[in-house]
Amino acid sequence: MLTRLAGLSLAGWTVFIGSALAQDQPARTIEVASIRAHSFQSEDYFNGWAWAATEAGGVCTIGARRLAPSGNRLTVPTMTLCGLISMAYDIPGFRITGAPAWMMKMEASNFYDVSMKAEGEAPLSVDQARGLIKALLADRFHLRVHRDTDRKS
């Protein structure tokens, strides 16, 4: 069976996700965005977070949650880069393979707080919020996507 895969190129690495890519809604642009390293309350607090991530299946599943834009704003706290890719492309984390080793490490420095505001006052749909995360990943992490329909899974 032929499955559509998307290859994501991240600073020279290619990461494959096993899911067909949906058509995006008309694009919204980012007015302002912030990506900051998450600051855990203590090392013990992070260790509890890391344990939960390990139990859930790893760094790509931790913090996995629904996108919940509020008006024209989107806030995603305590999320890994792998988790952001998972949210942006609406795929489960276990479908992301070939990621660089540093991206998959369970370290406090791999967690981010992301917030952004879309241009205009209209509320964001979930699909538009995904588009904003994709744009942010492309701009800040140089993530590029190409479609690959030749691989089998």
Side-chain angles (χ1 to χ4, degrees):
M1 176 179 168
L2 193 59
T3 302
R4 295 183 71 194
L5 297 174
L8 305 175
S9 183
L10 178 71
W13 294 83
T14 299
V15 180
F16 287 96
I17 55 177
S19 177
L21 297 177
Q23 293 293 331
D24 293 327
Q25 282 190 344
R28 297 279 299 267
T29 56
I30 299 170
E31 182 176 313
V32 64
S34 168
I35 301 175
R36 299 190 189 281
H38 181 77
S39 178
F40 286 95
Q41 299 170 6
S42 68
E43 189 171 333
D44 286 341
Y45 187 79
F46 169 72
N47 289 337
W49 196 268
W51 177 84
T54 302
E55 290 296 306
V59 74
C60 275
T61 57
I62 188 63
R65 55 184 84 95
R66 281 185 319 118
L67 277 173
S70 177
N72 66 344
R73 296 177 184 272
L74 178 66
T75 302
V76 183
T78 323
M79 184 61 70
T80 63
L81 179 56
C82 191
L84 285 170
I85 293 169
S86 179
M87 288 181 100
Y89 291 91
D90 193 23
I91 54 156
F94 70 85
R95 291 233 180 239
I96 298 174
T97 61
W102 63 264
M103 194 171 113
M104 304 308 289
K105 286 184 181 174
M106 187 57 64
E107 295 178 351
S109 62
N110 281 348
F111 287 83
Y112 303 95
D113 295 325
V114 177
S115 61
M116 63 183 84
K117 178 182 176 190
E119 287 186 337
E121 297 302 317
L124 286 168
S125 70
V126 170
D127 286 337
Q128 290 170 336
R130 286 186 204 293
L132 290 179
I133 296 173
K134 289 174 188 177
L136 190 71
L137 290 167
D139 180 55
R140 304 285 175 90
F141 293 97
H142 307 288
L143 182 72
R144 302 290 179 249
V145 175
H146 69 276
R147 296 177 196 267
D148 180 353
T149 57
D150 295 330
R151 289 185 51 147
K152 294 182 180 183
S153 67

